[in-house]
Amino acid sequence: MAMAARTVDRVVAGTKAGGPIVRLIGTLDCKGNGTLHPLADVDPFVLLDQAEGIEGKGKPGFGMHPHAHLIAMTVVLDGEFEDEDSIGGKGPHNHTDGGLYMAQAGTGLTHMEQTATEGSHSVLQIIVKMRLDAWNDPPGVCRVTPAEVPAITVGDAEVKVLVGTFCGQTSPATVSGLPAILLLRVNLPAGASVVLPIDALHERGFLFLRSGVAVLQSTTEAGDVTSVEVRAQESIALFGAGSALDIQSGDPSTPIEFVLGAATPTGEPWVKLLGENGFVLGRDEAEAETEMARVVAEHSK
């Protein structure tokens, strides 16, 4: 029995957020500060930033910054990054292409990530809400090397399971407050296509195309199948219901690389408050203000 193609709801263009950073998910905070972007979240994903071609060591230079009630993930695409935190991880700990750094803020921490060497570096910064029942969990960090990331072949595609479980392979990247999400990094040869089975529990998701041109098959409400084209580093495609994502290379001479995120929406209340080059989450503005002040006071160095 053929798997039904996911519905591709829309394609959202990225917004420049300073320097090489392009905002793909996330907008202004509860006080109207930050980068205005048309896509506030893809529950539970509250931020997705891409930075391609960061040049030099010690960039972007945000320094130690606060978080609470969220999980920050760094996916290294090229080059090398290092991290440090306020909960014993003085480091620096280095991460190379294909590795993953996951920091659960829990009740609060400060941390920093920056390029570790000279040369050119590229990265995705992904932040998800912690499950509300885990907001009082302690902070913690999970570091996964490229060799520890499960890699499988689906048709002609090479699929790396960064977070979650896919085709029987489970990533070691996890923390106590992680919601039900899936994060994949996929490479597909020029002219090829692949059908990726996505668990129906992951009702919503996104596809960020890093290179090439992709054509996604989308099932309409009437049951018709249409094609949606996505171009590299310009936007992300949002998908909904269905049992699989059908992706084709849109250029017979160019391979494609993309990162796919999918999740079971939590529907839990949240607001974001920016401060000190970081941000915290709260159920409302008052709680967010209290949490920001507490984290800064307890974890500042």
Side-chain angles (χ1 to χ4, degrees):
M1 181 177 177
M3 292 181 285
R6 291 264 176 162
T7 301
V8 179
D9 298 325
R10 59 176 172 146
V11 176
V12 180
T15 299
K16 293 291 288 183
I21 300 173
V22 175
R23 177 67 43 83
L24 297 162
I25 298 174
T27 190
L28 303 174
D29 75 353
C30 58
K31 292 183 178 295
N33 298 318
T35 298
L36 179 63
H37 180 62
L39 183 61
D41 71 307
V42 180
D43 186 13
F45 297 94
V46 299
L47 183 123
L48 172 60
D49 278 349
Q50 178 222 7
E52 194 81 24
I54 303 172
E55 296 295 335
K57 182 180 179 179
K59 304 295 179 64
F62 293 141
M64 298 289 282
H65 54 273
H67 289 308
H69 309 317
L70 57 80
I71 298 164
M73 294 176 281
T74 300
V75 178
V76 181
L77 302 175
D78 285 314
E80 189 170 351
F81 288 75
E82 61 187 12
D83 73 85
E84 183 178 334
D85 61 63
S86 62
I87 56 170
K90 288 190 177 297
H93 308 91
N94 287 19
H95 310 278
T96 55
D97 181 3
L100 178 76
Y101 165 66
M102 177 183 286
Q104 171 172 288
T107 53
L109 89 166
T110 57
H111 76 152
M112 73 88 180
E113 302 143 284
Q114 62 185 21
T115 56
T117 62
E118 298 296 338
S120 184
H121 313 264
S122 300
V123 69
L124 286 181
Q125 177 79 66
I126 302 168
I127 294 182
V128 299
K129 298 180 295 180
M130 291 178 63
R131 297 189 326 273
L132 192 58
D133 66 351
W135 274 24
N136 289 326
D137 284 7
V141 170
C142 179
R143 300 177 178 91
V144 179
T145 68
E148 294 172 322
V149 174
I152 59 176
T153 299
V154 179
D156 293 325
E158 179 190 70
V159 181
K160 295 181 180 179
V161 187
L162 299 174
V163 182
T165 298
F166 179 76
C167 291
Q169 297 294 311
T170 299
S171 169
T174 189
V175 286
S176 65
L178 189 68
I181 68 169
L182 176 68
L183 195 63
L184 306 176
R185 184 177 179 184
V186 183
N187 286 276
L188 187 65
S193 63
V194 66
V195 177
L196 298 177
I198 309 295
D199 194 313
L201 292 175
H202 295 319
E203 301 171 14
R204 301 280 300 162
F206 64 85
L207 183 146
F208 165 68
L209 185 67
R210 189 185 180 210
S211 62
V213 178
V215 177
L216 311 183
Q217 301 303 304
S218 175
T219 303
T220 67
E221 291 183 0
D224 300 321
V225 177
T226 60
S227 296
V228 178
E229 185 178 273
V230 182
R231 293 188 171 272
Q233 299 187 36
E234 295 180 0
S235 55
I236 61 171
L238 305 179
F239 59 84
S243 57
L245 201 60
D246 189 330
I247 305 142
Q248 302 173 8
S249 170
D251 182 342
S253 63
T254 307
I256 65 174
E257 178 186 358
F258 60 89
V259 172
L260 180 150
T264 304
T266 68
E268 296 172 342
W270 66 282
V271 300
K272 172 178 70 177
L273 179 65
L274 299 174
E276 305 290 332
N277 285 329
F279 71 84
V280 303
L281 301 183
R283 282 165 289 195
D284 53 37
E285 185 173 332
E287 182 178 39
E289 289 177 337
T290 299
E291 292 299 277
M292 176 65 79
R294 181 183 58 78
V295 173
V296 170
E298 291 180 359
H299 293 271
S300 291
K301 293 186 176 181

